[in-house]
Amino acid sequence: MQTDDEIRASDSRGTAAEDVLDPALRDTEFNPSRRQPEPQPGALRRKAAELTVVVPTYSEHDNVTELVRRLTNVLAGVDWEVVFVDDDSPDGTYKLAKSIGATDPHIRCIRRVGRRGLSGACIEGILSSSAPVVAVMDADLQHDESLLPQMLQEIRQGADLVIASRYTAGGSVEQGFSGIRRWGSEMATRMAQTLMGTQVSDPMSGFFMIRREAIEDHAKALAGEGYKLLMDILWTAGKSLKIVELSYRFRERRSGESKLDALVTVDYLGLMFSKLFGGVLPVRFLMFGAVGVSGIAVHLLVLSFAHSTLHLNFAWSQFSAVMVAMTWNFVINNQLTYRDARLTGWPFVGGLLMFYLACSIGSVGNVGVASWIYSFHATAWLAGLAGAIIGSVFNYAISSALIWKRK
Ligand code: GDD
Ligand code: MN
């Protein structure tokens, strides 16, 4: 058995570091008097907080200081920390958060590079925590931080998930939402309640607290895409959680502007379908597929217009229809499916050309597979469908990997 000191001495023997050491330190004889006082392992480490507040940020520089001030006030009696998860904001939100964190151990910041997405950011913040309880809350002060101690109290008393709701008695939206968003939010809420059979009044809330284990257990099953993390959690784990709702008033944004637009409703529909299929198909693939279906409609419209109205011959009509439909698919996917990697300027042109190419190769594969299956005496529609699916999967793979690749 080696003693601790022997291990230390033998560790330092024969390393390149000896060559640069002060000659007085270079002798191999171990001298206890020169030993640096070592901190007791763990002595400097603070034990994990009880509560981690995860705050996703994208360009929230002007809200960070005020949010930290308010959290510090309201959580005075609690062992807490905040984790800002910033997607490399152009306004340098992460720099500010880290500079506050340099002197205040309550503040941490994860800077994510080349990625975007609210749900993904929240999940990453949650999984970075060792605290037994985590909360998710926006940076823009629309969520009422003074609710946090009460939420924590509910968890301590046995709740697994506490949702801050805008829609229970006493909760409200005030000026917090534009008309269209509000309508979309209400529709989506009703739909979610019906589909999931849940009583939760605000399944779209961005403000909630949960036992961390409940997320850790289900982390792999979460879609992680889009904006609706709570929905995702409810779909995935809802049945097994003891849920409490508390009401609050959704305030107006303090500074900056909302990063979410009416398109979040589309994301939301995608998430819902993905979950209906058991989460096997990614939300993005479903959107890509839906755009493809809309492309068929465009194709048929252009075909009939070119053939019946412009009296082009069939081949030219069909050719125009193919070109317009491909262009349509590209533009809509650029606006919707891949809007977090949207192409503009020359990359848009390059992407479009690449998309034409991918579609051409995809359709060769499509015809090949369909004919092959048809040769086994399959019905024509089945062979055709199989071909179409293979072609779409190919287009999707090329699109995700080569055209709209995220940096
Ligand atoms: N890291 C990261 N990445 N953060 C993001 C991103 C992103 O791509 N997009 C938005 N955020 C951050 C914002 O900086 C903000 O702190 C928070 O997420 C919410 O974004 P807002 O842009 O303020 O959303 P909102 O106010 O329109 O919507 C809120 O209310 C909805 C209610 O239906 C959010 O709380 C939604 O989650 C909530 O569903
Ligand atoms: Mn907001």
Side-chain angles (χ1 to χ4, degrees):
M1 269 288 269
Q2 283 175 302
T3 67
D4 245 6
D5 286 345
E6 280 165 355
I7 292 170
R8 247 182 273 279
S10 68
D11 276 348
S12 66
R13 212 172 283 145
T15 62
E18 276 177 19
D19 304 332
V20 292
L21 280 180
D22 179 320
L25 295 174
R26 207 180 279 155
D27 59 1
T28 48
E29 198 75 8
F30 183 66
N31 180 351
S33 71
R34 277 211 313 272
R35 211 172 134 184
Q36 291 291 312
E38 289 210 40
Q40 283 296 304
L44 290 178
R45 247 173 273 141
R46 194 172 64 90
K47 74 171 177 46
E50 179 185 13
L51 171 67
T52 299
V53 182
V54 174
V55 180
T57 53
Y58 192 76
S59 291
E60 302 287 1
H61 181 280
D62 296 345
N63 291 317
V64 167
T65 310
E66 175 62 13
L67 179 63
V68 168
R69 193 187 68 76
R70 293 191 191 185
L71 288 175
T72 309
N73 275 341
V74 84
L75 293 173
V78 176
D79 189 1
W80 67 284
E81 64 172 359
V82 58
V83 181
F84 290 97
V85 189
D86 187 65
D87 285 352
D88 205 20
S89 297
D91 74 351
T93 304
Y94 60 89
K95 287 186 197 143
L96 175 59
K98 289 188 184 207
S99 78
I100 303 175
T103 56
D104 183 345
H106 290 111
I107 319 300
R108 285 202 286 132
C109 174
I110 298 172
R111 174 188 175 194
R112 307 200 308 164
V113 178
R115 278 182 289 166
R116 273 302 297 274
L118 183 46
S119 285
C122 295
I123 294 172
E124 218 159 304
I126 293 170
L127 296 184
S128 82
S129 161
S130 303
V133 186
V134 292
V136 170
M137 126 182 241
D138 293 351
D140 56 3
L141 307 164
Q142 290 196 277
H143 295 155
D144 184 353
E145 65 289 334
S146 69
L147 204 61
L148 286 167
Q150 200 186 338
M151 294 166 90
L152 182 60
Q153 203 51 40
E154 293 288 349
I155 300 256
R156 284 174 180 162
Q157 287 168 3
D160 296 309
L161 169 63
V162 184
I163 302 171
S165 168
R166 296 160 289 177
Y167 301 126
T168 43
S172 69
V173 173
E174 300 282 302
Q175 313 303 323
F177 253 166
S178 66
I180 175 110
R181 276 289 301 278
R182 188 181 179 146
W183 179 84
S185 179
E186 278 172 17
M187 288 301 293
T189 301
R190 234 165 279 147
M191 218 159 113
Q193 287 167 337
T194 314
L195 279 170
M196 293 194 296
T198 176
Q199 298 305 311
V200 169
S201 72
D202 194 358
M204 322 279 283
S205 175
F207 186 21
F208 57 91
M209 193 180 284
I210 189 168
R211 281 184 207 286
R212 183 172 52 81
E213 283 306 316
I215 302 261
E216 299 273 358
D217 292 347
H218 295 281
K220 288 186 193 153
L222 295 173
E225 296 169 80
Y227 299 85
K228 302 297 175 195
L229 178 57
L230 181 58
M231 275 282 309
D232 201 353
I233 294 172
L234 288 170
W235 270 96
T236 313
K239 296 270 181 297
S240 61
L241 301 176
K242 181 167 180 274
I243 303 173
V244 171
E245 286 193 275
L246 298 176
S247 61
Y248 79 106
R249 190 175 65 82
F250 189 59
R251 297 183 293 223
E252 254 179 288
R253 186 174 244 284
R254 182 164 165 279
S255 170
E257 53 193 37
S258 171
K259 314 301 173 305
L260 312 189
D261 47 27
L263 290 179
V264 292
T265 312
V266 179
D267 264 326
Y268 165 79
L269 288 175
L271 176 65
M272 203 120 71
F273 276 109
S274 174
K275 291 289 177 185
L276 281 176
F277 287 113
V280 197
L281 300 174
V283 176
R284 214 184 277 276
F285 178 70
L286 288 170
M287 280 202 206
F288 192 84
V291 174
V293 170
S294 76
I296 296 176
V298 170
H299 181 108
L300 294 177
L301 274 175
V302 175
L303 178 63
S304 93
F305 178 75
H307 198 51
S308 315
T309 312
L310 299 182
H311 304 294
L312 295 183
N313 70 24
F314 182 78
W316 277 112
S317 304
Q318 174 74 350
F319 178 74
S320 331
V322 167
M323 292 311 290
V324 174
M326 282 194 297
T327 311
W328 162 272
N329 280 12
F330 180 81
V331 170
I332 303 296
N333 277 321
N334 193 47
Q335 288 302 314
L336 204 64
T337 318
Y338 296 100
R339 65 181 195 277
D340 52 343
R342 192 175 284 161
L343 303 172
T344 51
W346 285 113
F348 177 92
V349 178
L352 179 60
L353 294 177
M354 186 116 91
F355 191 74
Y356 288 152
L357 187 67
C359 291
S360 315
I361 300 173
S363 58
V364 171
N366 175 342
V367 173
V369 169
S371 314
W372 181 65
I373 292 182
Y374 189 69
S375 72
F376 295 116
H377 306 289
T379 49
W381 72 265
L382 188 69
L385 183 67
I389 290 175
I390 295 294
S392 316
V393 169
F394 177 82
N395 286 356
Y396 174 69
I398 297 292
S399 298
S400 292
L402 299 178
I403 301 178
W404 287 283
K405 52 181 184 290
R406 268 134 301 189
K407 277 170 253 124

